[in-house]
Each structure stands twice: as structure tokens, then as C-alpha cells.
Amino acid sequence: SAVISQKPSRDICQRGTSLTIQCQVDSQVTMMFWYRQQPGQSLTLIATANQGSEATYESGFVIDKFPISRPNLTFSTLTVSNMSPEDSSIYLCSVAEDPGNIQYFGAGTRLSVL
Amino acid sequence: RKEVEQDPGPFNVPEGATVAFNCTYSNSASQSFFWYRQDCRKEPKLLMSVYSSGNEDGRFTAQLNRASQYISLLIRDSKLSDSATYLCVVNMGGGSQGNLIFGKGTKLSVKP
């Protein structure tokens, strides 16, 4: 499986600021995804990061709040914009070779918004 | 009805016990099924895929019942290191490429 580096591993941010999370893979991958996992909850897909085009967002998530970049097949960023305490969560990137198949996860970013 | 449902537990079992988890899914068109393991404050990691014919990996056995739309995971001879949350994961198919749906997880605690 690919080696996925996600950073920062954690951050504490002030309300109204933005944080950009990076996900770097050691090999080219077809699919990259961004998830959120709130305390005691399951993973919720935010969006699929598409290389060279706009990300595909799931219901309830919008580009203005969670802009995503994917400039190549090994790297993606997720920005959490204009943060509020409700954005406190773990954000995870994942990769897959085939749509709908096994995904491998980065270690996650633990975000606390004050 | 939730898309993927699991008993949240916790399941508290002694070492050496056999424990089984069940998971139900709502979409009969689902194509792929997995069990992931998530340790406390860690990312989910693939435990095993679940095949129609059932599959076994050491002490772990996974089974799929398409007619009843449920998946099971059996752990034999539990070890302390098996303590974790086990996530049932289903691909919803129907053209939702890459759309894995995660259950909330079942927490297992193996005691000495």
C-alpha cells in the first residue's frame, strides 16, 4: 500500500481563521479523498479530489468552506475556511487505486477551533 | 434506515474468547465490503475485504449475506491487541465511484 503523509498532525486555531492540510503520497494514485470524523462518529466523506479539475463535493459540503486542490497524482490539500468551533474534528485523507475499492488513510489532522 | 449500521458496543471480552460483530447495509446494489480497524486516536486501517464466498485470515473470518444484507466479522482466540474499534465499510455502488460508507464502528475491549 502507498505511504501517505498528512500534515499538520494537529492544530489549535482561532475562530475565523483558515487552516490548510496537506496530503502527500509516495506514489501516483488514481483517487484521493478527504474525510471528516467528528468525536464518536463515523467517517464522513467531504469530497473527492480530482487531479487537474474541481473537487467533487458530497451533500452538505461546499467549495467555499472546504476548498481542495490536487495539482498532481501524489498531492492534495484541504483548506478549512473561516473556522468555527463546530469544525473541530479529525480530518483524514485517503487514497485508492480503483473507484469504490480499498482506501488507505493518512494519519489524520486533529483540529481544535477555539 | 441508516446506510450502514453496527452495534456500537462496547464488547468487553476476556482473552481467548470468540467474539462476533454484525453489520447491516441498506443498499442492495452495494458491490464491495470491508472491515477496517481503528485504534484510539489513529487512522482506520484495512483489516480485510469481505467476499461473497466468505474469507478467513488467521483468527479473523468475514462473511457476507447478500440476501439479508449483512456482513459479519468473527474473531477467535481474542488477544489484548485486538482491542480497537471495528468499522464496517460498504461501497454503495450504483455509479458512486469511490463512495465508501463507513459504519460508526463497534468497540472491542479484550481484558486479561
Side-chain angles (χ1 to χ4, degrees):
Chain A
S1 61
V3 175
I4 305 163
S5 300
Q6 188 174 336
K7 59 181 181 182
S9 58
R10 60 176 62 237
D11 208 340
I12 300 173
C13 301
Q14 296 296 320
R15 181 194 300 259
T17 63
S18 298
L19 176 72
T20 295
I21 302 168
Q22 298 181 2
C23 183
Q24 177 76 55
V25 192
D26 69 343
S27 59
Q28 293 186 345
V29 291
T30 306
M31 313 290 292
M32 293 184 78
F33 308 93
W34 288 98
Y35 288 85
R36 181 173 73 184
Q37 186 175 29
Q38 295 178 308
Q41 301 297 312
S42 61
L43 280 74
T44 300
L45 180 64
I46 297 172
T48 302
N50 301 310
Q51 192 264 328
S53 64
E54 192 172 290
T56 304
Y57 289 84
E58 297 300 308
S59 176
F61 298 96
V62 295
I63 188 171
D64 289 345
K65 176 67 177 177
F66 297 102
I68 288 171
S69 78
R70 189 173 176 197
N72 55 52
L73 292 176
T74 64
F75 185 77
S76 179
T77 67
L78 168 74
T79 298
V80 186
S81 303
N82 187 25
M83 288 183 284
S84 66
E86 292 71 36
D87 295 320
S88 297
S89 188
I90 300 171
Y91 293 85
L92 296 137
C93 72
S94 74
V95 304
E97 277 307 314
D98 300 306
N101 216 319
I102 297 169
Q103 294 183 18
Y104 299 97
F105 287 83
T109 297
R110 189 175 297 271
L111 171 63
S112 297
V113 183
L114 305 178
Chain B
R1 182 180 174 183
K2 295 179 183 175
E3 291 179 295
V4 178
E5 287 198 74
Q6 295 181 249
D7 182 339
F11 284 61
N12 298 309
V13 303
E15 270 187 293
T18 295
V19 61
F21 307 138
N22 287 331
C23 165
T24 58
Y25 60 95
S26 60
N27 189 343
S28 59
S30 297
Q31 301 293 319
S32 309
F33 310 88
F34 311 97
W35 284 101
Y36 277 71
R37 169 190 170 133
Q38 187 171 25
D39 290 282
C40 187
R41 305 175 80 84
K42 299 286 189 180
E43 74 276 20
K45 294 184 179 179
L46 178 70
L47 179 65
M48 58 197 307
S49 301
V50 186
Y51 304 119
S52 296
S53 55
N55 47 303
E56 187 174 310
D57 182 3
R59 298 181 293 109
F60 299 84
T61 301
Q63 292 191 313
L64 167 65
N65 185 320
R66 284 190 183 273
S68 299
Q69 293 179 212
Y70 82 77
I71 308 151
S72 65
L73 177 68
L74 182 76
I75 305 176
R76 292 181 298 277
D77 188 22
S78 300
K79 311 291 184 190
L80 296 176
S81 57
D82 293 334
S83 297
T85 297
Y86 291 83
L87 305 174
C88 175
V89 185
V90 177
N91 170 260
M92 284 297 154
S96 300
Q97 295 187 346
N99 194 2
L100 295 186
I101 305 298
F102 287 77
K104 287 190 175 183
T106 299
K107 186 171 182 179
L108 172 65
S109 181
V110 182
K111 306 292 187 184

